């Protein structure tokens, strides 16, 4: 189980996130994806908490909260393999994606 944290400041660190999420329970892991070319954080992260109750408490408390000058988007992370098939634009049935070429980079 994992929490998606979006709209983060590009200055955020794993330590920053661990600190704020620790207020709601045990932080097992924090991932801050970085841009391959610049090495700069990409503006989102994933946080794993110790229990479902801690995860729910953190999501409820932090979703929409202002932190480091930005309004956080915090929710349950969706499994990577599910994202392409359940998107709001019809997944891989055409929609937005250049006629089916949208998945070629994976």
């Amino acid at each position: 189980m994992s929490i998606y944290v979006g709209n983060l400041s590009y200055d955020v660190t794993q330590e920053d996130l661990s600190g704020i999420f620790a207020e709601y329970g045990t932080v097992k892991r924090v991932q801050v994806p970085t841009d391959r070319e610049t090495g700069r954080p990409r503006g989102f992260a994933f946080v794993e908490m110790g229990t479902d109750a801690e995860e729910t408490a953190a999501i409820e408390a932090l979703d929409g909260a202002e932190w480091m000058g930005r309004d956080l988007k915090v929710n349950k992370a969706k499994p990577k393999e599910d994202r392409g098939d359940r998107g709001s634009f019809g997944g891989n049935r055409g929609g937005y994606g250049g006629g089916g070429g949208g998945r070629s980079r994976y």
Side-chain angles (χ1 to χ4, degrees):
M1 76 195 112
S2 190
I3 300 171
Y4 167 82
V5 187
N7 200 33
L8 288 171
S9 165
Y10 293 114
D11 297 326
V12 76
T13 66
Q14 288 182 326
E15 291 78 22
D16 293 334
L17 284 166
S18 290
I20 195 156
F21 277 85
E23 295 177 29
Y24 304 97
T26 303
V27 177
K28 289 170 65 177
R29 189 162 70 133
V30 176
Q31 286 181 281
V32 181
T34 54
D35 184 276
R36 270 180 246 170
E37 294 177 19
T38 66
R40 188 173 96 163
R42 294 174 60 197
F44 66 93
F46 297 97
V47 177
E48 289 182 26
M49 302 292 288
T51 67
D52 285 343
E54 292 170 348
E55 180 181 277
T56 300
I59 291 169
E60 289 176 358
L62 297 172
D63 187 37
E66 185 179 327
W67 187 54
M68 295 178 80
R70 301 184 142 223
D71 293 335
L72 297 179
K73 305 283 184 248
V74 183
N75 52 48
K76 281 189 183 285
K78 294 174 179 58
K80 201 170 197 174
E81 58 272 15
D82 288 350
R83 286 193 191 140
D85 297 331
R86 292 198 276 153
S88 57
F89 297 123
N92 51 6
R93 284 181 242 130
Y96 298 92
R103 295 178 62 95
S104 62
R105 58 183 204 147
Y106 291 105

